[in-house]
Amino acid sequence: MKILLPLLALLLAGCGPRLMVERAPGAALPGAATYAWSVAGDRIPGEEHPRVANDIVADLLRQAIDTGLARRGWQAAENAAWHVHYHAGIEKRTEQVTEPARPRLPRLVCTARHYCYETWDWGYWGPPELSTRTITYHEGTLVIDIHDAASGKLVWRGTLSNEIDLRAAIDPAKLQKAVDRLLLQLPAGMPAP
């Protein structure tokens, strides 16, 4: 039986996932690089999608984040300095793309001084007609939040999003690679003595 994980496709798209990190000014990350899991108080669009709102995906994401944080020198602890939670969502997107109906053709142009260069031209009839088409796709987003345990203030947020294929099968290694890529932006903790 195949288990589906749409966030896997974050790694599979040709242009690569979009990565964004926000950090609170003056946050002393990591300091004591200990963390504990917490429950998210906010939500992102698409979190209710059945492909991500289930225990199987939750366990896979939590395991990938735990492994990624450990690789960065962070340690899970009961009385932690930081609280971690994640959001995963899928949204259906629609965009209109306008392109020339036929491509430009290369043309060699020579000047009176016998200097020649190549240019792109549409030919005698001028620019081509434009063709507009509608593209519908699914975009998956993974957000990892780190809050100060003492104040509850959000101090670090990493977001990874990209077009996904809802038919993609789970590949924990590729999921781990995506999480590790996002967590590379997180300051590393000091190894335990």
Side-chain angles (χ1 to χ4, degrees), residues 56-114:
I56 296 169
V57 173
D59 289 344
L60 285 170
L61 286 170
R62 189 169 171 163
Q63 181 181 359
I65 294 168
D66 278 336
T67 301
L69 287 171
R71 288 179 180 167
R72 299 292 296 153
W74 288 61
Q75 297 176 349
E78 197 169 304
N79 294 320
W82 309 103
H83 286 166
V84 174
H85 66 262
Y86 73 88
H87 302 278
I90 298 174
E91 286 190 290
K92 190 174 187 177
R93 303 268 190 209
T94 303
E95 291 183 14
Q96 289 196 346
V97 178
T98 302
E99 303 169 318
R102 58 180 203 263
R104 292 176 160 187
L105 303 173
R107 182 172 68 118
L108 189 63
V109 176
C110 294
T111 65
R113 296 178 190 242
H114 304 290

Side-chain angles (χ1 to χ4, degrees), residues 125-153:
W125 299 105
E129 295 178 15
L130 297 177
S131 170
T132 301
R133 58 190 171 104
T134 302
I135 299 173
T136 301
Y137 62 95
H138 290 87
E139 181 177 70
T141 302
L142 173 63
V143 178
I144 300 174
D145 287 340
I146 298 179
H147 292 260
D148 185 330
S151 67
K153 181 182 174 185

